[in-house]
Amino acid sequence: MTAREFPNWEALYQEKSVETMPWFNPDLDPDVEEALIVLDLNSGTLLDLGTGPGTQAIALAERGFQVIATDLSETAIRQAAEKAAEKGLEISFRQDDILNSHLDRSFDLILDRGCFHVLPPQRREDYVQTVANLLKPKKYLLLKCFSQQQPGEQGPYRFTPEEIQQIFTQRFHLRSVAQTVYQGTLDPLPKALFCILEKR
């Protein structure tokens, strides 16, 4: 598998308005909304990994979650924090790298709507261990990533449900996985997997 080139996230957020980015979705992702209903979750501590424009963090804070949102890009974090402040929401936005994380607390729920599938394949095991360590026992990781059904080679790595199961099996039980799409600015919408993973 050849290594992929990904943008410099900081430069990207400095140069472009978030509304033009492929993953920009102003509303709560419908798959996340459905998962919260299925798991009967409406409060607790939540980590939004790779928050980007901060739209999901804001939507979840509005629903009553206590949200910490992280991103590699300081510009993304600053812009998202400004939007949250305009809405009067208390969200802790932090610049952080999940592969070298400085987070020092545990969460009831972690949302990853676009971080895992851009990580180098050789670091996936590190990601699994770190995320598991940040979750309380029996709590959930909601993971959205590109599906193997998405054509082409551009952009994020693609995954089958079986690969997700294999990568996460040591620390997580795969409760459900569904073929879906990424809401955003692309047409057609990219094909995605939405996974509910329960920490063992």
Side-chain angles (χ1 to χ4, degrees):
M1 184 184 290
T2 53
R4 306 231 172 151
E5 289 289 318
F6 292 106
N8 175 314
W9 304 111
E10 175 62 14
L12 186 71
Y13 279 97
Q14 284 181 8
E15 291 161 14
K16 293 193 170 183
S17 92
V18 293
E19 289 77 12
T20 65
M21 295 182 184
W23 49 85
F24 181 77
N25 173 28
D27 307 309
L28 184 60
D29 187 305
D31 294 308
V32 175
E33 193 158 13
E34 194 177 318
L36 296 179
I37 294 166
V38 168
L39 299 171
D40 193 23
L41 294 173
N42 48 33
S43 64
T45 53
L46 183 144
L47 172 62
D48 183 23
L49 258 186
T51 192
T55 55
Q56 304 305 296
I58 287 167
L60 289 159
E62 286 175 336
R63 284 164 182 252
F65 287 91
Q66 190 186 336
V67 180
I68 290 180
T70 63
D71 201 277
L72 274 176
S73 164
E74 284 183 34
T75 299
I77 288 296
R78 191 181 68 251
Q79 291 173 351
E82 285 166 6
K83 286 200 175 71
E86 282 167 18
K87 292 174 177 274
L89 295 170
E90 284 193 30
I91 299 172
S92 175
F93 286 98
R94 302 184 190 178
Q95 195 270 334
D96 192 64
D97 177 355
I98 191 61
L99 296 177
N100 183 28
S101 182
H102 296 287
L103 296 171
D104 57 356
R105 56 173 304 170
S106 52
F107 297 88
D108 297 308
L109 189 64
I110 295 178
L111 170 62
D112 178 343
R113 194 176 161 267
C115 177
F116 171 72
H117 67 183
V118 296
L119 298 178
Q122 67 272 22
R123 299 300 306 276
R124 287 174 188 159
E125 187 62 37
D126 298 334
Y127 170 94
V128 172
Q129 298 301 340
T130 302
V131 168
N133 291 341
L134 287 169
L135 265 180
K136 296 174 185 172
K138 300 291 182 193
K139 298 300 185 182
Y140 300 99
L141 166 65
L142 304 182
L143 176 70
K144 198 163 195 175
C145 60
F146 261 35
S147 163
Q148 193 62 50
Q149 294 182 6
Q150 172 64 17
E153 290 290 314
Q154 291 295 102
Y157 292 98
R158 278 77 163 154
F159 296 91
T160 63
E162 293 73 24
E163 285 171 327
I164 294 294
Q165 166 78 35
Q166 191 181 353
I167 291 165
F168 284 86
T169 190
Q170 272 197 312
R171 304 293 304 271
F172 288 89
H173 163 60
L174 183 58
R175 265 192 62 148
S176 66
V177 57
Q179 296 283 353
T180 180
V181 292
Y182 262 105
Q183 287 74 20
T185 59
L186 297 179
D187 181 22
L189 295 173
K191 297 186 188 311
L193 292 179
F194 186 78
C195 316
I196 299 178
L197 292 141
E198 183 179 356
K199 181 176 169 179
R200 293 190 185 279

